[in-house]
Amino acid sequence: MKLTFFGLTISSSWGNGHATPYRALIRALTRLGHQVHFFEKDVPYYSSRRDFDSCDYCRLTLYPDWDAIREQALAAAAGSDVVITASFLPEGRRINREMLDLARPLRVFYDLDTPVTLKNLRHGEVEYLCRSQLPEFDLVLSFTGGNALAELEQEHGARMVRPLYGCVDPDDYHRVEIHPEFRCDLSYMGTYSADRQARLDELLLEPSRRHPEKLFLLAGPLYPWHWQWPENVRRMEHVAPADHSRFYSSSRITLNLTRGEMAANGWCPSGRFFEAAACGTPLITDAWDGLDSFFDVLRDLRVVARAEDVQDALSMADAELQSMAARARQRTLDEHTGRVRARQLLGYLEEAMSNAKTNASSTNPSPHKEVTP
């Protein structure tokens, strides 16, 4: 099968949660024998922090703007079995229209930011998607599940909606030796977001203030570095994917925090969740609906809501922490890898293709049969 993707970015993991899930999913699709072509707009804030500009598991085309690549992109899409556009795609509404006008490929929209999309659609349009386009896609994939799936179908007329959650590539994320640069008692990796800053203060910074003898590590862009930070909190603006395994493997515990809109919707596992678990790092996390569908919240990780909960986790014995991490790692390898998601995607595509054929047959009766008015 030939698949063509139009997405935010696969080449740069800086400040976004799109690149690493794309990599895990697309590498798995390629290993399963499928051909993938990924189109990405070449924007300055990613090009200056790019992890690669070509890769061995898909064809990557970087383009300056849609007009410059339109003819090539349309030819690639028209010759594909499946074309997938996605959330936060630059010029997305225009590109969606071009893809929806194609006759041959299955047309798919992959929303990696569903709660954000739905919130904005309630108040108008979003720059990457017209409300009227949702019912035209053969399949809509959502990075989050729960009530968002029903809202896409019932409120916006999407004809077939399925969840396609984040994932991890075990080839890239696995246990390695502790690295002095990343050694810490508690780490957190995530881009600054105002709607989770209060929880970051409660669950990372407050424990650091109470435990000056312990080391804490905060990694992610866009934080106000002029703030007065606790002296035992080390800060890094960006950790390249090649260093993620070292980052997590050097953390005694790592913290997961969920964006406010994602947490309000639930069913929203961050890719960082699976990456840390694949590295065998003990996890603590804020709570959200559906969490227990991805991990056992009593045996695989700890749910924290206050600084005291974090302190309790920090006081756990190493053996208990490692036992917890081992269970989360096995669950991740069994259920949340790129290969698992690729097989789920292929199953959805087969279902959507079957639906498309059925719909075509019902609206276009066979010319060999007599049709009565």
Side-chain angles (χ1 to χ4, degrees), residues 96-125:
N96 287 339
R97 182 72 272 150
E98 302 266 23
M99 298 305 134
L100 288 168
D101 286 341
L102 296 175
R104 178 176 183 268
L106 194 78
R107 289 81 50 85
V108 180
F109 181 73
Y110 189 12
D111 201 331
L112 288 84
D113 308 274
T114 315
V116 175
T117 301
L118 291 175
K119 177 183 176 182
N120 290 334
L121 284 177
R122 293 181 199 120
H123 300 93
E125 301 289 352

Side-chain angles (χ1 to χ4, degrees), residues 20 179 241 260 274 315 371:
T20 51
H179 194 283
F274 302 134
S315 67
V371 179

Side-chain angles (χ1 to χ4, degrees), residues 37-85:
H37 191 166
F38 194 100
F39 285 85
E40 172 183 338
K41 186 174 183 179
D42 191 7
V43 296
Y45 44 88
Y46 291 144
S47 63
S48 62
R49 302 172 178 88
R50 184 160 282 145
D51 304 319
F52 54 76
D53 54 19
S54 65
C55 58
D56 59 3
Y57 50 85
C58 78
R59 180 180 177 186
L60 172 60
T61 296
L62 300 167
Y63 61 92
D65 58 65
W66 180 245
D67 286 332
I69 200 67
R70 179 178 180 273
E71 185 175 343
Q72 177 190 345
L74 287 176
S80 300
D81 299 291
V82 180
V83 60
I84 300 176
T85 61

Side-chain angles (χ1 to χ4, degrees), residues 6 66 70 74 77 83-86 89-103 105 107-109 127-138 159:
F6 296 87
W66 180 245
R70 179 178 180 273
L74 287 176
V83 60
I84 300 176
T85 61
L89 170 65
E91 300 182 77
R93 288 191 285 183
R94 180 183 177 189
I95 296 173
N96 287 339
R97 182 72 272 150
E98 302 266 23
M99 298 305 134
L100 288 168
D101 286 341
L102 296 175
R107 289 81 50 85
V108 180
F109 181 73
E127 65 272 19
Y128 50 84
L129 178 71
C130 291
R131 182 192 306 269
S132 61
Q133 291 172 342
L134 274 169
E136 297 187 57
F137 285 100
D138 300 296
R159 66 179 78 168

Side-chain angles (χ1 to χ4, degrees), residues 51-348:
D51 304 319
F52 54 76
D53 54 19
S54 65
C55 58
D56 59 3
Y57 50 85
C58 78
R59 180 180 177 186
L60 172 60
T61 296
L62 300 167
Y63 61 92
D65 58 65
W66 180 245
D67 286 332
I69 200 67
R70 179 178 180 273
E71 185 175 343
Q72 177 190 345
L74 287 176
S80 300
D81 299 291
V82 180
V83 60
I84 300 176
T85 61
S87 53
F88 283 95
L89 170 65
E91 300 182 77
R93 288 191 285 183
R94 180 183 177 189
I95 296 173
N96 287 339
R97 182 72 272 150
E98 302 266 23
M99 298 305 134
L100 288 168
D101 286 341
L102 296 175
R104 178 176 183 268
L106 194 78
R107 289 81 50 85
V108 180
F109 181 73
Y110 189 12
D111 201 331
L112 288 84
D113 308 274
T114 315
V116 175
T117 301
L118 291 175
K119 177 183 176 182
N120 290 334
L121 284 177
R122 293 181 199 120
H123 300 93
E125 301 289 352
V126 293
E127 65 272 19
Y128 50 84
L129 178 71
C130 291
R131 182 192 306 269
S132 61
Q133 291 172 342
L134 274 169
E136 297 187 57
F137 285 100
D138 300 296
L139 170 64
V140 173
L141 300 169
S142 173
F143 212 63
T144 60
N147 293 333
L149 305 181
E151 184 171 346
L152 284 165
E153 289 183 339
Q154 298 169 12
E155 301 297 326
H156 297 285
R159 66 179 78 168
M160 176 180 169
V161 181
R162 297 291 183 271
L164 193 68
Y165 300 111
C167 58
V168 64
D169 189 335
D171 287 354
D172 290 336
Y173 293 88
H174 49 81
R175 195 75 181 172
V176 299
E177 291 185 4
I178 293 174
H179 194 283
E181 182 182 8
F182 303 116
R183 182 192 293 269
C184 63
D185 293 284
L186 179 64
S187 68
Y188 171 70
M189 185 189 295
T191 302
Y192 171 78
S193 174
D195 65 2
R196 61 185 169 197
Q197 187 57 34
R199 278 169 294 148
L200 180 69
D201 189 81
E202 176 70 20
L203 302 177
L204 183 80
L205 301 184
E206 182 57 27
S208 74
R209 298 183 190 105
R210 297 184 186 185
H211 293 277
E213 79 284 0
K214 296 186 182 296
L215 297 176
F216 297 77
L217 179 55
L218 170 65
L222 305 180
Y223 286 90
W225 299 116
H226 62 276
W227 286 356
Q228 186 173 2
W229 298 86
E231 292 184 1
N232 58 335
V233 176
R234 186 176 183 187
R235 302 177 304 284
M236 297 179 174
E237 184 179 17
H238 180 62
V239 177
D243 289 325
H244 282 190
S245 288
R246 282 189 285 272
F247 175 90
Y248 288 121
S249 298
S250 302
S251 306
R252 184 168 181 266
I253 303 174
T254 197
L255 169 67
N256 175 75
L257 292 176
T258 311
R259 289 285 304 272
E261 289 164 347
M262 298 289 189
N265 180 83
W267 301 82
C268 54
S270 163
R272 299 281 184 257
F273 229 129
F274 302 134
E275 293 169 6
C279 292
T281 302
L283 281 157
I284 61 175
T285 181
D286 55 355
W288 37 270
D289 287 345
L291 173 59
D292 56 357
S293 293
F294 300 94
F295 291 101
D296 186 319
V297 296
L298 298 178
R299 302 176 72 245
D300 300 347
L301 48 76
R302 290 290 181 272
V303 175
V304 293
R306 305 175 302 159
E308 290 77 11
D309 299 330
V310 178
Q311 289 179 268
D312 290 343
L314 290 169
S315 67
M316 292 172 64
D318 287 344
E320 186 178 4
L321 286 172
Q322 289 308 311
S323 178
M324 183 175 74
R327 287 191 290 268
R329 180 177 184 275
Q330 191 58 54
R331 178 102 180 237
T332 296
L333 296 180
D334 290 343
E335 300 179 16
H336 307 305
T337 64
R339 188 176 185 86
V340 171
R341 295 290 182 261
R343 291 192 180 280
Q344 290 173 342
L345 172 60
L346 293 171
Y348 297 153

